[in-house]
Amino acid sequence: TWAFITAMMRQICKQILTIVFVLAVAGIGPVRADPIVTKIVTDPLTGVAIDGFDPVSYFTEAKPQRGSPDYEYYWRGVPWYFVSAANRDVFKRAPEVYAPQHGGYCEMSLARGYLSDGKPQIYAVEKMKLYLFYSAANREAFLIATGEAIEQASANWETLAKGLTGAQPAVPLLSDANH
């Protein structure tokens, strides 16, 4: 039986080498994978924006509410969940108003020149804009120097967003440059 196994292994090795040779001759090289980091922060398991929290609820409720797949809306290539059809419809009319700034990345991390996912439970609403943060300490630092943080984050976002995938344009979601 060892002779049979050895013969089979040789045959498999020959087939593998033949496939590699054919691919090399055909010019088919390694395939480039797309980056897995997107322009909008999503749940890594579900792909839902801001971990399924309803972005409108940040502006209408005492604390953000988890949305439901029953009230889903795709914006910029990503599903967003809402607590009601009314919230979904409000978002549809003006998503830039309710979506977190800079795709939901931590505003202070951006201000410091790097990306880290914002957590939907750690947030601030300033001048009718939603900002998410990686940690409570980042949120506190933001609240101490809000204007400077927003300005620096916006400047850094244009460069950092270039390496991200998704349908979101590489410009900040901020509509008012004067904060």
Side-chain angles (χ1 to χ4, degrees):
T1 62
W2 284 108
F4 176 75
I5 293 172
T6 303
M8 289 297 293
M9 293 299 289
R10 283 186 186 143
Q11 185 62 29
I12 291 170
C13 286
K14 288 178 186 178
Q15 290 173 342
I16 291 171
L17 288 172
T18 302
I19 291 170
V20 169
F21 177 75
V22 169
L23 291 176
V25 170
I28 301 173
V31 178
R32 182 182 166 269
D34 287 332
I36 58 170
V37 180
T38 60
K39 290 187 180 175
I40 296 176
V41 174
T42 58
D43 181 290
L45 298 177
T46 65
V48 177
I50 61 173
D51 292 344
F53 279 86
D54 178 343
V56 176
S57 71
Y58 287 88
F59 298 90
T60 61
E61 304 295 328
K63 64 179 190 169
Q65 306 294 307
R66 281 212 182 262
S68 165
D70 295 337
Y71 306 108
E72 180 180 76
Y73 176 66
Y74 274 78
W75 181 65
R76 294 192 172 164
V78 175
W80 297 73
Y81 287 177
F82 301 89
V83 297
S84 67
N87 279 14
R88 181 193 58 213
D89 294 344
V90 166
F91 184 85
K92 278 181 171 180
R93 286 192 290 276
E96 290 85 5
V97 171
Y98 298 100
Q101 300 302 294
H102 304 113
Y105 286 93
C106 175
E107 196 73 4
M108 285 308 296
S109 295
L110 283 169
R112 293 173 180 144
Y114 63 93
L115 293 171
S116 64
D117 293 359
K119 296 181 179 172
Q121 302 90 332
I122 308 171
Y123 67 95
V125 175
E126 290 289 325
K127 297 187 180 182
M128 296 306 294
K129 301 285 183 186
L130 174 60
Y131 300 96
L132 302 183
F133 303 94
Y134 176 77
S135 67
N138 279 343
R139 180 182 181 276
E140 295 307 313
F142 173 82
L143 294 173
I144 291 170
T146 303
E148 295 84 4
I150 291 170
E151 184 178 319
Q152 192 62 48
S154 295
N156 290 339
W157 175 248
E158 292 188 34
T159 303
L160 293 170
K162 289 178 184 173
L164 304 176
T165 65
Q168 183 174 351
V171 296
L173 291 177
L174 297 172
S175 59
D176 179 12
N178 298 322
H179 296 283

